[in-house]
Amino acid sequence: MSGGSDALDWIASAGSPLRGTLDIPGDKSVSHRSVMFAALADGVSTIEGFLEGEDTRATAAIFARLGVRIETPSPSRRIVHGVGIDGLRAADGVLDCGNAGTGMRLLAGLLAAQRFDSVLVGDASLSRRPMRRVTAPLAKMGARIDTEAGGLPPLRIHGGQALVGIDHTLEVASAQVKSALLLAGLYADGETIVREPHPTRDYTERMLSAFGVDIEFSPGFARLRGGQRLRATDIAVPADFSSAAFFLVAAGIVPGSELRLKQVGLNPRRTGLLQALRMMGADIVEDNGGVHGGEPVADLVVRYAPLRGIEVPETLVPDMIDEFPALFIAAAHASGPTVVRGAAELRVKESDRLAAMANGLRGLGLQVDETPDGATIHPGTLQGGVVDSLGDHRIAMAFAVGAQRALGEVRIGDVANVATSFPGFDALARGVGCSLSDA
Ligand code: S3P
């Protein structure tokens, strides 16, 4: 399912200046939610720009197993025949979320509220990721979910529980946990309120509202009443900023480059990297701005410019939580060190991203000082060498970009999971001048 078992390595090295115009695939967070909420709605919803990644396809496949008819008239389109808030039915056997933390955590909230039992499993990476952050507050609502020791997947969800709304303050800033509680809250008696230590992406709130749910939300706060129904609506998925990020950094570090990334989603809870890169001196201009599917979008035109190291403001961390692999590569090519703090969450992503990036850069000749919640990256010239992506899509893509300035060939191991979020990344990268091929 996740592709993680297919051994695939890349060879990457310095190519030519990067030039061209790119269509970046649809946003992963929005794609997951679009299929989930459309499935729960009354009526038929059409999704345009759906991400054809393994993660989001895994979520769609799960809803098909739960009795939802989903048509794929053409790639990146889905027609979802919603079954209504109470229309899901038990699946035979376990539900495989693949590599997707978003899939598993949101489904935990939704399935805890159903009349039937479910079991959620994931691939090796997802099976190491913490789930207590979601099962503990769901238990406060009356949910019954068994985990493996240490709060790890699989999640054995016992349906048929009467849930009650809670007023909950998250311990870690997590849109996934917030969303799980809001989904359970749709079925709970009374109100569910989620408060966040720092605002996280608000796609669940925006999209539930688009599906007709009465939900009150502002940065760091969301409140809804249980017992509401969703009304089918059409969803347009913007291009994924997190995928665009690799090309922002690629063009930003290779002299002579200029890329136009078309109509990228610029939700302010996602664009921390844009601010960080601009602080570093990057030349990134927004053009043709507009609104797509209720989200701000614009073309991003990025030209090479010399970068300088910065102290990444801790307040930016949640808004660039998925972009640190890319940021590390930018930092490696800056003048002066870059300091990251307050980013311990990176240790529980698809891999321990602080360790993966620090080890990878060290293997290519740089000095990186790791701390429990961050790192200091000392820039330098990347040598050739071997990097282990640890099966983490974003680590693999980050080093594919970094290698475009390396002195020698870089072999990047275990890259098949790039297909979880960005199928076709390597072909797009080659199309604009990157040197990148299967080993
Ligand atoms: C996501 C939220 C983030 C992010 C992940 C997608 C989402 O995780 O890292 O890639 O779609 O809600 P957390 O909410 O756990 O920080």
Side-chain angles (χ1 to χ4, degrees):
M1 165 69 65
S2 72
S5 55
D6 309 336
L8 177 64
D9 292 1
W10 279 337
I11 300 286
S13 57
S16 46
L18 310 182
R19 292 187 168 268
T21 298
L22 287 172
D23 281 310
I24 301 291
D27 187 277
K28 183 153 70 78
S29 293
V30 175
S31 295
H32 277 297
R33 287 163 173 80
S34 65
V35 86
M36 288 182 184
F37 302 169
L40 296 177
D42 297 311
V44 179
S45 302
T46 299
I47 305 168
E48 303 282 353
F50 184 77
L51 171 65
E52 296 289 357
E54 289 174 351
D55 277 10
T56 43
R57 291 163 70 121
T59 291
I62 285 174
F63 279 91
R65 301 262 317 279
L66 294 167
V68 181
R69 196 170 134 229
I70 303 175
E71 296 172 74
T72 305
S74 56
S76 306
R77 286 189 80 208
R78 293 293 185 279
I79 298 172
V80 181
H81 298 259
V83 294
I85 193 87
D86 42 13
L88 297 178
R89 53 165 206 258
D92 284 338
V94 302
L95 300 170
D96 189 349
C97 302
N99 192 242
T102 304
M104 184 172 281
R105 294 199 177 112
L106 270 61
L107 278 162
L110 175 62
L111 294 176
Q114 305 302 314
R115 292 180 306 272
F116 51 85
D117 296 349
S118 312
V119 180
L120 294 173
V121 302
D123 71 0
S125 155
L126 184 52
S127 300
R128 288 190 294 267
R129 296 183 64 186
M131 293 297 149
R132 201 172 277 142
R133 56 180 57 195
V134 64
T135 58
L138 286 172
K140 284 211 291 180
M141 298 178 76
R144 281 188 54 217
I145 305 179
D146 297 329
T147 66
E148 296 297 299
L152 298 180
L155 300 182
R156 293 189 170 73
I157 301 170
H158 304 278
Q161 316 298 320
L163 303 188
V164 286
I166 50 170
D167 182 339
H168 184 76
T169 301
L170 299 183
E171 282 165 26
V172 288
S174 168
Q176 295 177 353
V177 177
K178 170 178 65 177
S179 303
L181 301 185
L182 292 174
L183 283 173
L186 279 176
Y187 294 84
D189 191 25
E191 265 185 6
T192 295
I193 299 176
V194 185
R195 303 173 199 272
E196 301 178 287
H198 188 286
T200 63
R201 62 192 73 187
D202 58 359
Y203 298 122
T204 295
E205 297 92 307
R206 287 167 179 247
M207 210 185 289
L208 283 177
S209 175
F211 276 96
V213 171
D214 181 15
I215 175 168
E216 182 195 335
F217 61 100
S218 56
F221 179 88
R223 182 209 321 251
L224 59 70
R225 231 179 334 95
Q228 302 189 56
R229 298 191 74 85
L230 283 69
R231 204 173 48 232
T233 188
D234 294 338
I235 298 286
V237 182
D240 198 323
F241 181 86
S242 295
S243 296
F246 297 104
F247 288 103
L248 292 180
V249 170
I253 64 171
V254 177
S257 297
E258 176 170 340
L259 291 177
R260 177 179 287 265
L261 312 175
K262 278 170 57 191
Q263 297 298 287
V264 178
L266 296 179
N267 182 304
R269 297 277 77 82
R270 297 291 298 285
T271 49
L273 180 77
L274 206 50
Q275 292 182 57
L277 288 175
R278 284 177 172 152
M279 287 172 69
M280 297 172 81
D283 178 358
I284 303 171
V285 173
E286 291 163 39
D287 191 25
N288 291 331
V291 175
H292 185 72
E295 292 288 330
V297 295
D299 290 359
L300 296 177
V301 181
V302 52
R303 294 183 190 86
Y304 168 78
L307 301 178
R308 53 184 174 272
I310 58 165
E311 294 203 7
V312 178
E314 280 191 43
T315 50
L316 276 188
V317 169
D319 294 347
M320 56 183 290
I321 194 66
D322 293 333
E323 276 58 80
F324 281 92
L327 183 272
F328 271 54
I329 296 299
H333 296 90
S335 58
T338 290
V339 183
V340 174
R341 291 193 194 89
E345 269 298 280
L346 296 178
R347 296 207 180 274
V348 292
K349 291 295 179 187
E350 286 84 326
S351 68
D352 175 343
R353 288 184 171 158
L354 290 173
M357 289 308 299
N359 291 335
L361 287 174
R362 283 189 205 113
L364 302 179
L366 293 203
Q367 185 193 332
V368 181
D369 308 324
E370 219 179 307
T371 61
D373 70 340
T376 299
I377 304 114
H378 301 273
T381 303
L382 295 189
Q383 310 298 309
V386 178
V387 170
D388 188 352
S389 80
L390 303 174
D392 183 333
H393 53 137
R394 299 202 201 284
I395 304 296
M397 289 186 276
F399 280 104
V401 164
Q404 303 308 311
R405 278 293 299 272
L407 285 185
E409 220 172 60
V410 179
R411 185 182 181 111
I412 308 162
D414 199 4
V415 303
N417 271 343
V418 167
T420 61
S421 71
F422 200 162
F425 164 80
D426 48 341
L428 276 188
R430 279 192 294 276
V432 293
C434 289
S435 168
L436 177 65
S437 55
D438 289 355

